[in-house]
Amino acid sequence: MLPLALAACSSAPPKESFEAPVYPAAPDEARFIFERSLRYNTNVEPVTTATKLRRYATGAVDDIKGLVKPYGVAVRNGRVYVTDTVQRAVVLFDITGQRYAQFGDEKPGQLFKPVGIDISAQGEVFVADVSARRIVVFDAEGHFRRFIGGQEWFKRPAGVALSPDGSKVYVIDTGGVDTQAHHLFIFDARSGEHLATIGTRGNADGQFNLPLQISSSSDGTVYVVDKGNFRIQAFDENGAHKFSFGSIGRYPGQFFSPKGVSTDAHGNVYVVDTAFGNAQIFTPQGELLMVIGQRGQTSAPGNYMLPAGIDVDEDGRVYIADQFFRKVDIYKPIGLDTDSPGQQSE
């Protein structure tokens, strides 16, 4: 675990004059409003009376723990799991339980460079370790369960997603510039049995060029960020190509450096573009709906320098992880009548 210095952009609550950004901006009807950021353990752990007294009496400074270089994010029932490539661990912000934890830094499930992450219908946490070249499975509390795949299958596994029923694991292998092994793999989630390998390097339908992340929607459609081809490819649950959308460019609906991808309960597709510093939201068929965030030089809410991961929870909240600003920003749908993630779905 790496020590962290409490910076000026820490967990202090915003001033009363702070006006949370909304998206889209006026005069369009607002759909999302910034809710909070996650950076440190102090963002979720309560400050007790005993803690306040200890600080006053001793002048002690609390041990600050938090994000160093976040990448992927996955959320379920108020638990926000974030892969951290520098700490070589998964960071857990348990908003509902008001606690902070880290796991994956001990054998046998030790992580070396965790990037992609997803949570199964049964609550197991699946992590793509691009350096160890395997998928590592933990339970909801971070206890190691098993490995899936390995060096006999993977070159650079960067993305992982689960089918809606949790029976299948989809793994995106980025490959590399010196190999044709740019694949989508399908495994049995429980046994680890290899079920299918889809694609090779290229730009035709069902082929990939440095694919990066992956998400599975509620209807079983699998969306792959085909980064080097500047597009999103959609497949059915068995790996058959359905359609693609996107092209290279600098206008809304286009991509320049797409990275993270997620879907919501309605099947809408959320794509993070690192170059644009935002997340674009599309219909399940790939029609642009709106944009959240913008590229910025400060870590203010809605500003991003190196956004990487994205997820949408059961209540429709959007979580965006930024590597440079070491944060996860949370956006709440306008009109959502619950103050804590996961409550509405219970």
Side-chain angles (χ1 to χ4, degrees):
M1 186 180 302
L2 299 180
L4 293 178
L6 186 57
C9 57
S10 68
S11 57
K15 299 178 181 179
E16 290 187 7
S17 60
F18 170 78
E19 185 174 346
V22 298
Y23 298 94
D28 294 327
E29 180 183 356
R31 301 292 182 181
F32 292 94
I33 183 170
F34 171 81
E35 186 173 39
R36 64 190 297 183
S37 293
L38 300 175
R39 304 173 189 271
Y40 307 112
N41 58 317
T42 52
N43 294 134
V44 291
E45 294 176 343
V47 179
T48 64
T49 301
T51 300
K52 293 179 180 178
L53 289 173
R54 180 176 61 83
R55 290 176 180 172
Y56 179 77
T58 66
V61 177
D62 292 335
D63 182 22
I64 301 297
K65 302 178 289 291
L67 299 172
V68 176
K69 195 170 184 180
Y71 191 100
V73 57
V75 187
R76 180 179 290 271
N77 296 328
R79 293 185 172 193
V80 184
Y81 297 88
V82 187
T83 55
D84 192 309
T85 57
V86 169
Q87 297 193 86
R88 300 183 179 184
V90 174
V91 173
L92 168 59
F93 294 94
D94 186 351
I95 298 175
T96 304
Q98 297 186 311
R99 66 189 181 97
Y100 172 98
Q102 292 184 202
F103 61 86
D105 50 1
E106 296 180 355
K107 295 181 178 180
Q110 186 173 10
L111 299 169
F112 292 88
K113 191 175 182 179
V115 284
I117 186 169
D118 199 11
I119 306 171
S120 74
Q122 294 72 36
E124 290 187 318
V125 181
F126 289 68
V127 181
D129 191 325
V130 70
S131 290
R133 294 163 62 180
R134 61 193 179 191
I135 304 301
V136 189
V137 185
F138 303 90
D139 68 14
E141 296 300 319
H143 302 117
F144 170 74
R145 287 292 176 255
R146 60 192 179 279
F147 297 119
I148 292 178
Q151 296 186 13
E152 67 272 28
W153 295 105
F154 303 140
K155 298 290 186 183
R156 295 178 61 200
V160 61
L162 280 297
S163 60
D165 64 0
S167 65
K168 294 178 180 178
V169 183
Y170 302 98
V171 182
I172 275 297
D173 196 320
T174 300
V177 296
D178 58 349
T179 178
Q180 297 299 305
H182 299 207
H183 299 314
L184 164 61
F185 290 98
I186 307 177
F187 294 88
D188 182 278
R190 177 54 55 183
S191 68
E193 177 188 359
H194 172 252
L195 302 178
T197 301
I198 294 93
T200 186
R201 193 171 193 186
N203 57 16
D205 290 346
Q207 295 183 329
F208 306 104
N209 184 19
L210 301 173
L212 202 54
Q213 291 294 305
I214 186 170
S215 182
S216 177
S217 71
S218 58
D219 70 354
T221 302
V222 178
Y223 294 92
V224 176
V225 177
D226 191 2
K227 185 176 187 293
N229 287 321
F230 308 97
R231 65 183 179 181
I232 302 296
Q233 292 201 66
F235 299 82
D236 70 16
E237 61 182 8
N238 297 313
H241 183 267
K242 297 176 67 174
F243 62 91
S244 302
F245 65 87
S247 61
I248 186 173
R250 58 186 179 90
Y251 295 103
Q254 296 181 311
F255 303 116
F256 199 80
S257 185
K259 184 169 285 188
V261 63
S262 185
T263 59
D264 65 18
H266 305 289
N268 296 319
V269 185
Y270 298 62
V271 183
V272 164
D273 195 299
T274 300
F276 298 155
N278 65 20
Q280 299 186 82
I281 306 176
F282 300 85
T283 68
Q285 295 75 37
E287 299 173 354
L288 181 66
L289 294 173
M290 59 171 289
V291 173
I292 294 179
Q294 60 278 323
R295 192 167 181 83
Q297 298 297 318
T298 72
S299 63
N303 281 1
Y304 303 102
M305 185 64 71
L306 289 174
I310 189 168
D311 199 21
V312 184
D313 72 11
E314 306 92 330
D315 299 329
R317 282 180 171 86
V318 181
Y319 301 72
I320 300 177
D322 187 274
Q323 295 178 289
F324 186 84
F325 291 131
R326 305 180 181 185
K327 67 175 181 175
V328 175
D329 278 351
I330 306 175
Y331 298 89
K332 176 180 175 179
I334 298 293
L336 184 65
D337 59 358
T338 174
D339 293 328
S340 182
Q343 286 185 350
Q344 183 165 287
S345 60
E346 291 179 352

